[in-house]
């Protein structure tokens, strides 16, 4: 494999002071380690947090959107379903662009375009224009998703990658937490949905500037080195496992798709989607329309869920690794969250706001125990299934060999 | 799709919110079924199981 020359645009003839050299550099021409890696990962997580903040911004102000455009929940449901289709298209197209042109353009430019989309949303004269901003936003955010994951993978070695993905996972919830918290704080000052979109545009602009100035891709030379090392690693692993070539090992790996357990485990996504997106998109509206609470207070209530959910995510991930169990923790989370939803279903309309806060906070704690356990099991089930089918291994040796890992 | 197209039908004029919360609760119970049936791994911490084995040998 030929290694292209790195065009980092630094003039070799004149020595530059380190700060100027950093700003003129197009690529990171060494594999980031230590604090430099933390810095790059931090920028990626920041970008993803902001995009999720933008994504969940409509939830807290839905009552205002309905009022302003004289629409209803049914129409909004169709728009949200259309955004789902845009999500699919964005994921398929933008991820190809990131492979072709590098991660940087697909990470930083969608943030700027999203900012412009927010401005159009804030000025939207009718529902048709506003709908276009929803579709464009969904397309951009979902398109960034695979790229953000790929960028994170580029800069992290296998050891420690799980922790990095753990931080990326919290970006989803932090984005939702910030959107509800910002709405709770600013709606009393600027009522209506347009102010939230102006805030979203300002945040997107600021984050774009940070990413534009500081975020750099790995140079082609370093990326090629990583790919070469990975291919060599795959060949060595295949030989060690007794396969003639990496291709044979890959073919054997395809058997994982015939594993019924994996399909059942992955099927959880449908039910998780229903529960998770209900909270993300519709709970503020539910609190406003069912309990008759103001949109600002409803956003504050919803932010209680996201706050406890984020903390519980981190804690349950740690607990999963500490106790070396996933099933019981994930199942406990599922059952307890289900019970909390049943409790919420039977609450009277005149429920006290403090009690509502506590109930939604408790629901967040319970829900936080589902996701890390599920992700860990999804990654480990193929390995464990294969191991349990191999003869001549005692249960104790299986236990000793069991090495918990994330993702 | 299920959520965005289904929720407005269930909620209707607002009186169906409790019914949707029941649906979300049922979804969480089905999550539990998926994890319990699909996941491979111990139900109790391996360290606890080892402790129990050692205790049973001692008695």
């Amino acid at each position: 494999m030929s290694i292209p020359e790195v065009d980092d645009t630094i003039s070799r003839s004149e020595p530059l002071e380190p700060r100027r050299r950093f700003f003129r550099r197009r690529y990171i021409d060494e594999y980031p380690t230590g604090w430099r890696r933390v810095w790059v990962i931090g920028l990626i997580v920041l970008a993803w947090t902001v995009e999720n903040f933008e994504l969940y911004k409509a939830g807290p102000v839905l009552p205002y959107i309905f009022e302003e455009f004289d629409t209803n929940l049914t129409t909004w449901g169709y728009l949200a379903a259309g955004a789902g289709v845009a999500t699919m298209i964005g994921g398929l197209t933008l991820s190809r662009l990131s492979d072709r042109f590098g991660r940087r353009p697909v990470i930083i430019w969608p943030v700027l375009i999203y900012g412009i989309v927010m401005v159009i949303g804030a000025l939207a004269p009718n529902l048709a224009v506003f709908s276009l901003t929803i579709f464009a936003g969904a397309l951009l955010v979902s398109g960034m998703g695979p790229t953000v994951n790929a960028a994170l993978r580029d800069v992290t070695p296998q050891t420690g990658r799980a922790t990095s993905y753990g931080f990326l996972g919290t970006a989803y919830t932090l984005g939702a937490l910030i959107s509800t918290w910002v709405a709770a704080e600013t709606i009393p000052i600027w009522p209506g949905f347009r102010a939230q979109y102006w805030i979203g545009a300002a945040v997107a602009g600021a984050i774009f500037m940070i990413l534009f100035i500081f975020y750099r891709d790995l140079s082609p030379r370093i990326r090629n080195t990583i790919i070469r090392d990975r291919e060599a690693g795959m060949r060595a692993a295949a030989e060690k496992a007794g396969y003639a070539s990496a291709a044979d090992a890959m073919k054997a790996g395809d058997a994982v798709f015939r594993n019924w357990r994996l399909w059942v485990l992955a099927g959880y996504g449908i039910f998780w989607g229903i529960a998770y997106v209900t909270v993300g998109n519709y709970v503020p509206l539910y609190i406003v329309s069912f309990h008759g609470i103001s949109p600002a207070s409803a956003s504050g209530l919803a932010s209680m869920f996201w706050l406890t959910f984020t903390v519980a995510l981190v804690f349950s991930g740690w607990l999963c690794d500490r106790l070396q169990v996933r099933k019981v923790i994930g199942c406990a989370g599922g059952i307890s969250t289900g019970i909390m939803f049943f409790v919420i279903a039977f609450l009277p309309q005149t429920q006290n706001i403090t009690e509502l806060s506590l109930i939604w906070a408790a629901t967040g704690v319970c829900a936080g125990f589902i996701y890390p356990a599920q992700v860990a099991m999804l990654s480990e089930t193929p390995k464990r299934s294969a191991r349990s089918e191999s003869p001549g291994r005692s249960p104790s040796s299986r236990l000793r060999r069991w090495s918990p890992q994330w993702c | 799709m299920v959520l965005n197209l289904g929720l407005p039908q269930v909620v209707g004029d607002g009186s169906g919110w409790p019914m949707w919360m029941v649906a979300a609760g049922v979804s969480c119970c089905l999550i539990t079924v998926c994890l319990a049936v699909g996941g491979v791994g111990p139900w109790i911490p391996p360290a606890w199981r080892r402790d129990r084995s050692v205790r049973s040998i001692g008695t």
Side-chain angles (χ1 to χ4, degrees):
Chain A
M1 188 184 293
S2 66
I3 302 169
E5 285 297 314
V6 178
D7 172 21
D8 64 357
T9 70
I10 300 173
S11 166
R12 303 283 179 203
S13 55
E14 51 172 305
L16 294 171
E17 53 182 285
R19 197 182 299 166
R20 279 186 64 200
R21 210 160 39 203
F22 172 82
F23 287 113
R24 293 187 64 180
R25 197 176 285 161
R26 278 182 63 191
Y27 297 110
I28 301 172
D29 197 29
E30 57 191 82
Y31 194 68
T33 53
W35 284 108
R36 185 175 292 185
R37 182 186 296 151
V38 172
W39 170 245
V40 176
I41 291 172
L43 287 173
I44 294 168
V45 172
L46 175 71
W48 196 229
T49 302
V50 170
E51 288 306 272
N52 280 282
F53 160 64
E54 308 282 354
L55 190 66
Y56 286 108
K57 203 161 42 337
V61 287
L62 271 184
Y64 291 119
I65 294 172
F66 290 178
E67 191 185 324
E68 182 99 15
F69 296 124
D70 193 23
T71 186
N72 55 33
L73 194 55
T74 308
T75 311
W76 183 260
Y78 289 127
L79 292 180
V85 176
T87 298
M88 191 176 68
I89 296 168
L92 289 172
T93 51
L94 290 194
S95 54
R96 283 167 186 265
L97 290 180
S98 82
D99 278 343
R100 188 163 179 193
F101 299 110
R103 317 299 186 207
R104 188 172 187 266
V106 185
I107 286 179
I108 65 166
W109 294 110
V111 177
L112 178 68
I113 300 169
Y114 208 113
I116 297 167
V117 166
M118 286 300 100
V119 172
I120 298 169
L123 297 172
N126 52 44
L127 188 61
V129 175
F130 190 73
S131 311
L132 289 178
T133 65
I134 295 169
F135 299 148
L139 196 134
L140 286 169
V141 172
S142 61
M144 256 182 83
T147 309
V148 162
N149 279 282
L152 197 71
R153 196 218 176 286
D154 287 347
V155 296
T156 49
Q158 196 165 358
T159 308
R161 190 174 297 150
T163 309
S164 309
Y165 276 111
F167 284 117
L168 194 66
T170 57
Y172 287 95
T173 56
L174 279 177
L177 171 65
I178 295 169
S179 73
T180 48
W181 176 73
V182 167
E185 293 296 321
T186 56
I187 285 175
I189 307 166
W190 302 299
F193 82 91
R194 293 183 193 276
Q196 298 305 312
Y197 278 70
W198 282 118
I199 293 169
V203 171
I207 300 302
F208 165 76
M209 288 308 294
I210 292 172
L211 294 173
F212 184 79
I213 294 168
F214 295 111
Y215 183 71
R216 299 283 185 277
D217 265 348
L218 294 182
S219 70
R221 187 180 71 83
I222 296 295
R223 284 192 67 192
N224 281 337
T225 309
I226 293 169
I227 291 167
R228 230 177 14 223
D229 288 352
R230 196 166 61 209
E231 284 172 352
M234 282 168 68
R235 269 198 305 274
E239 280 169 21
K240 197 177 170 189
Y243 294 104
S245 66
D248 284 349
M250 196 79 84
K251 212 179 286 176
D254 288 345
V256 79
F257 296 114
R258 291 194 288 274
N259 186 335
W260 66 270
R261 283 181 181 278
L262 268 184
W263 286 103
V264 174
L265 206 51
Y268 122 112
I270 299 167
F271 309 116
W272 177 244
I274 291 173
Y276 184 81
V277 185
T278 292
V279 181
N281 285 354
Y282 293 105
V283 157
L285 178 69
Y286 153 72
I287 296 168
V288 170
S289 66
F290 189 73
H291 292 291
I293 292 170
S294 73
S297 302
S299 300
L301 259 171
S303 71
M304 292 298 293
F305 172 93
W306 293 113
L307 182 66
T308 54
F309 180 66
T310 307
V311 175
L313 270 182
V314 176
F315 175 71
S316 72
W318 171 82
L319 197 65
C320 272
D321 281 347
R322 174 84 182 165
L323 298 180
Q324 298 189 346
V325 282
R326 279 83 165 96
K327 255 187 175 181
V328 70
I329 291 175
C331 289
I335 283 288
S336 56
T337 312
I339 291 169
M340 289 310 297
F341 271 113
F342 292 141
V343 169
I344 288 164
F346 293 102
L347 288 177
Q349 284 182 289
T350 53
Q351 189 73 34
N352 181 296
I353 193 165
T354 311
E355 289 165 4
L356 275 177
S357 301
L358 290 174
I359 288 166
W360 278 106
T363 311
V365 171
C366 298
F369 279 76
I370 300 173
Y371 184 71
Q374 192 273 341
V375 175
M377 273 199 282
L378 194 62
S379 67
E380 291 165 0
T381 292
K383 202 185 291 180
R384 283 160 164 265
S385 296
R387 198 176 292 151
S388 63
E389 283 164 14
S390 60
R393 282 184 183 163
S394 66
S396 61
S397 72
R398 264 187 238 155
L399 278 177
R400 276 199 301 273
R401 284 164 183 272
W402 193 69
S403 53
Q405 51 187 294
W406 274 79
C407 298
Chain B
M1 287 289 174
V2 171
L3 172 80
N4 290 313
L5 297 178
L7 184 140
Q9 308 303 323
V10 174
V11 170
D13 60 352
S15 57
W17 278 115
M19 181 58 76
W20 184 261
M21 291 301 158
V22 170
V26 170
S27 292
C28 290
C29 295
L30 291 172
I31 286 172
T32 308
V33 173
C34 288
L35 298 185
V37 175
V40 177
W43 280 94
I44 59 167
W48 295 1
R49 209 182 316 179
R50 272 198 298 271
D51 288 350
R52 210 166 51 185
S53 307
V54 170
R55 271 202 304 274
S56 66
I57 291 167
T59 53

